[in-house]
Amino acid sequence: MDEHARGGSRLPAAEFLRANHDALLTDWQQAVFERLNRKDSTRPPWLIDHMPELLTALTEAMEVGPEALDERLEAAHAAARLDAGFNLGEVAQEYALLRRCILHRLEALEQRLRPGDLTRLEETLDRVVTRTMTFFWDMKQRILQTLDRMSEATLDDPDMETLLERLLTRLMESALTVDTAAVMLLEDDALVVRAAMGLSTDEVKGLRVPVGQGVSGLAALERRPFFVRSAATDPRVLVGPLRRAGLRALYGLPLMDGERLLGMAYMGSRTAFAFSDSDVLLFHAVAERASAHIAQAELHAREHAARKEAERSLALLDSLLDAAPVGIAFLDPDLHYLRINDTMAHLNGHPVEAHRGRTVREMVREDVVESVERPMRQVLETGQPVQDVLIQGPDPVRGRAGSWRVDYFPVRTPDGVLLGVGNTVVDVSDYKRAETALQQAIDFREELIAVLGHDLRNPLHAVNASAFMLGKIPALDTPARRSVDRIRKATARMARMINDILDFARSRLGGGIPVTRQHVNMEELCQGMLEELQVVYPERPLVLEVHGDDLWGDWDPDRVTQVLGNLVVNALQHARNDSPVVTTLTGESAEVVMQVRNEGNPIPPELLPHLFDPFKQSSVPNAGSKHRSLGLGLYIVSEIVQVHRGSVRVETAAGDGTTFTVRWPRVPPPLGYLTP
């Protein structure tokens, strides 16, 4: 068959590789990601670092022969893969995927290579794979042998400085180009040389390099390795003995314990301007092992300090137990007493010595043992404290009925291990008796308020009806009509006060303020309420502004008008006599917003936190003021709005007046909904 019919003349392999360089890299990278991600999704996306140069070297080798292949590039690739935790099979697989990508692209482009080029390409790839695998295996064996010798150096459990010097010695024995090495530990804000081997050992020990200064200080600050080609002449090297020793290559890297910086380690050479990849890999392994031992030594030091602190804490605990006026006890997970003070022991009816090592069931009275043991086991099971447990029964100390408040809590080590349970007992007998007497007084007062409020309504209605009838008499002169108006205003105020008293009593006596929801129009409710108030306050302008067409919702109409009435009357009492009180209704998607605004002095800041508390005023009391109230109006407003699961807030400022904003949800939100 004619070759032109197959797609043209055959290409040299080098020309094909050069023309498809970027496409082959893209295909290979995608293939490697897909293959490795199925095994390990944490591999970082730097796999392609050396592959462009390897592919270029392969192209040149196809033109000028195998001598164009640079062994250093293959060694660097092998070192990078070993440092990243690849195994030998994964490295071989990378090249297999490259071979497959080349063949697939040839097939996709329907191109054929010159006779013999495909064979030479295969042989060259095999040469690269073999050398890379050999480098990889040799470096891995070297590292494993060095780590094995390092493990031998730790068998006699030496101190940290001796151990670090042994590790550095193993490094220098395995890397012939290394003439000096040291470990610098982080102390406060400086790196201090704590172990050194090789050149200028005695001069270097104890030297300090501030973090952030010099090549090692900056590398520590940035948590990265550093490399200096000529340490003897580089001004960034702040360790004087290293410069005087005539060092050339200087390489260092941070010692890390997770995210925590422990220090820096460095190695230097007088003969080489750069370290080989295998030497750098070996140094990384030594530094990682050194980091682990440094962290372990710090852990031992902390454990020793913790033991000392524990002994001191136990002494303080014993002193506290002896002096504490409350009962205190500590028990192990099987509820055996470990420590107990005299107060608790007397309540149990046994001496302190008799409790140690005995169980709760053996020491606590039979009539209360269940109520004591149950919360203890709950603490052990959940790890959470159980507080404010009330135990009542005969008092063995005073010989009468008593009450005790008991708190149970988990006892843990600083690292969170549960050691057992502790409990404290406080005698609250006198407090409970006083609380009972106080509650009886409060109940009597609130019941009295409820009865008075209910019984006052009937005569008040009679007064109001009589005043209404008097106001209908045509012959009344102006002074008489004013007197009738004052009677009606007074009875309206008194009716609101009685309603507030009844609602307060309902909320405090446990029944809560009742509501009966109906589908009503907020505008109609507010318009009717404002008309009633306008009759009582004919001299004051009451304005209603409406925004939006839909003002319907499910509310209790009587309670809505009660809220508006309380807010408007409150605004009238604190506004200027000639200023209007403006009520604004705004229909939103899920709620209707009611705002009542008046012009007047702002509410004092010290009153704002308690504005909706019962029996609180919204202004500083003034003996000469004509407007006096019980201080229940805003409290009732808050209670009604909460029953409707809405919200109320106030904004007040000099010059802007005071605005109360109530948000009425059209449909009550589900239980547990938090009002924004």
Side-chain angles (χ1 to χ4, degrees), residues 307-325:
R307 283 195 297 270
K308 290 292 186 182
E309 181 62 25
E311 294 173 359
R312 177 175 175 273
S313 298
L314 287 176
L316 293 174
L317 177 60
D318 289 336
S319 299
L320 173 63
L321 289 174
D322 293 338

Side-chain angles (χ1 to χ4, degrees), residues 331-335 375-384 410-411 418-421:
L331 302 93
D332 66 15
D334 295 322
L335 298 185
M376 287 184 175
R377 295 200 179 279
Q378 181 179 340
V379 170
L380 293 173
E381 291 171 1
T382 65
Q384 300 298 319
V411 179
L418 185 65
L419 297 180
V421 60

Side-chain angles (χ1 to χ4, degrees), residues 390-662:
L390 182 64
I391 296 179
Q392 295 178 315
D395 187 342
V397 178
R398 300 183 181 182
R400 62 182 183 183
S403 300
W404 297 270
R405 193 195 74 186
V406 189
D407 292 329
Y408 302 89
F409 53 89
V411 179
R412 303 180 184 275
T413 62
D415 54 355
V417 177
L418 185 65
L419 297 180
V421 60
N423 69 314
T424 59
V425 177
V426 180
D427 189 343
V428 294
S429 303
D430 295 337
Y431 168 78
K432 294 301 291 184
R433 281 189 286 271
E435 184 183 59
T436 301
L438 179 60
Q439 187 60 47
Q440 290 174 348
I442 292 174
D443 291 345
F444 174 76
R445 185 194 69 176
E446 293 184 347
E447 289 176 8
L448 179 62
I449 290 174
V451 171
L452 289 176
H454 184 272
D455 290 348
L456 284 174
R457 274 183 160 180
N458 291 334
L460 187 62
H461 287 163
V463 173
N464 191 44
S466 299
F468 178 78
M469 296 302 297
L470 285 174
K472 294 294 185 179
I473 299 175
L476 284 180
D477 56 14
T478 300
R481 194 169 297 280
R482 288 175 181 169
S483 298
V484 171
D485 289 340
R486 284 195 296 270
I487 293 173
R488 295 192 65 186
K489 286 183 180 180
T491 54
R493 288 183 58 238
M494 193 169 182
R496 285 192 300 273
M497 293 170 65
I498 292 174
N499 287 335
D500 289 345
I501 290 173
L502 289 175
D503 287 335
F504 172 74
R506 290 191 189 101
S507 66
R508 288 304 179 92
L509 292 177
I513 296 179
V515 296
T516 302
R517 295 181 182 273
Q518 301 177 31
H519 195 63
V520 293
N521 186 289
M522 181 73 74
E523 180 182 1
E524 295 176 0
L525 296 178
C526 294
Q527 185 66 53
M529 186 64 210
L530 291 176
E531 289 175 357
E532 292 181 16
L533 291 173
Q534 192 69 76
V535 173
V536 181
Y537 299 92
E539 74 285 0
R540 304 296 298 274
L542 303 179
V543 180
L544 176 64
E545 297 179 356
V546 178
H547 304 286
D549 298 329
D550 184 8
L551 297 177
W552 289 85
D554 295 337
W555 308 294
D556 186 323
D558 294 333
R559 296 302 182 183
V560 170
T561 56
Q562 186 178 359
V563 167
L564 180 62
N566 284 0
L567 291 177
V568 172
V569 171
N570 180 76
L572 289 170
Q573 291 175 353
H574 299 95
R576 296 197 309 268
N577 290 336
D578 58 343
S579 62
V581 172
V582 180
T583 300
T584 304
L585 297 177
T586 304
E588 297 185 355
S589 59
E591 57 192 4
V592 173
V593 180
M594 173 192 293
Q595 291 183 310
V596 178
R597 179 181 178 277
N598 71 293
E599 297 177 5
N601 295 327
I603 300 173
E606 64 271 15
L607 297 181
L608 287 175
H610 307 286
L611 193 62
F612 295 98
D613 293 348
F615 305 111
K616 299 294 183 181
Q617 305 293 330
S618 58
S619 62
V620 177
N622 182 355
S625 174
K626 298 184 295 181
H627 303 294
R628 303 294 300 274
S629 68
L630 294 173
L632 289 175
L634 294 181
Y635 169 76
I636 299 301
V637 166
S638 175
E639 291 292 307
I640 293 174
V641 172
Q642 287 184 27
V643 172
H644 284 80
R645 300 182 201 168
S647 64
V648 57
R649 62 184 177 87
V650 61
E651 296 174 334
T652 183
D656 294 333
T658 300
T659 302
F660 284 84
T661 301
V662 182

Side-chain angles (χ1 to χ4, degrees), residues 64-79:
V64 301
E67 61 273 10
L69 294 175
D70 190 347
E71 293 186 3
R72 292 174 299 178
L73 183 59
E74 297 160 16
H77 184 76

Side-chain angles (χ1 to χ4, degrees), residues 22-42:
D22 293 341
L24 287 172
L25 288 177
T26 300
D27 295 345
W28 175 84
Q29 187 176 21
Q30 182 64 32
V32 171
F33 282 171
E34 290 176 357
R35 181 63 60 90
L36 293 181
N37 283 345
R38 284 199 294 267
K39 298 180 180 179
D40 184 358
S41 60
T42 62

Side-chain angles (χ1 to χ4, degrees), residues 80-97:
R81 292 305 187 256
L82 183 60
D83 190 39
F86 279 61
N87 59 44
L88 198 61
E90 289 175 326
V91 176
Q93 192 176 66
E94 288 185 282
Y95 288 104
L97 291 174

Side-chain angles (χ1 to χ4, degrees), residues 266-339:
Y266 68 78
M267 63 178 179
S269 174
R270 295 179 66 177
T271 58
F273 284 104
F275 293 105
S276 66
D277 293 313
S278 60
D279 285 344
V280 171
L281 266 180
L282 183 64
F283 187 54
H284 276 251
V286 173
E288 184 176 350
R289 184 63 58 89
S291 298
H293 286 295
I294 292 170
Q296 187 176 20
E298 290 182 348
L299 178 61
H300 287 323
R302 287 197 296 268
E303 289 178 351
H304 179 72
R307 283 195 297 270
K308 290 292 186 182
E309 181 62 25
E311 294 173 359
R312 177 175 175 273
S313 298
L314 287 176
L316 293 174
L317 177 60
D318 289 336
S319 299
L320 173 63
L321 289 174
D322 293 338
V326 300
I328 304 176
F330 298 96
L331 302 93
D332 66 15
D334 295 322
L335 298 185
H336 291 88
Y337 282 97
L338 300 174
R339 276 181 167 78

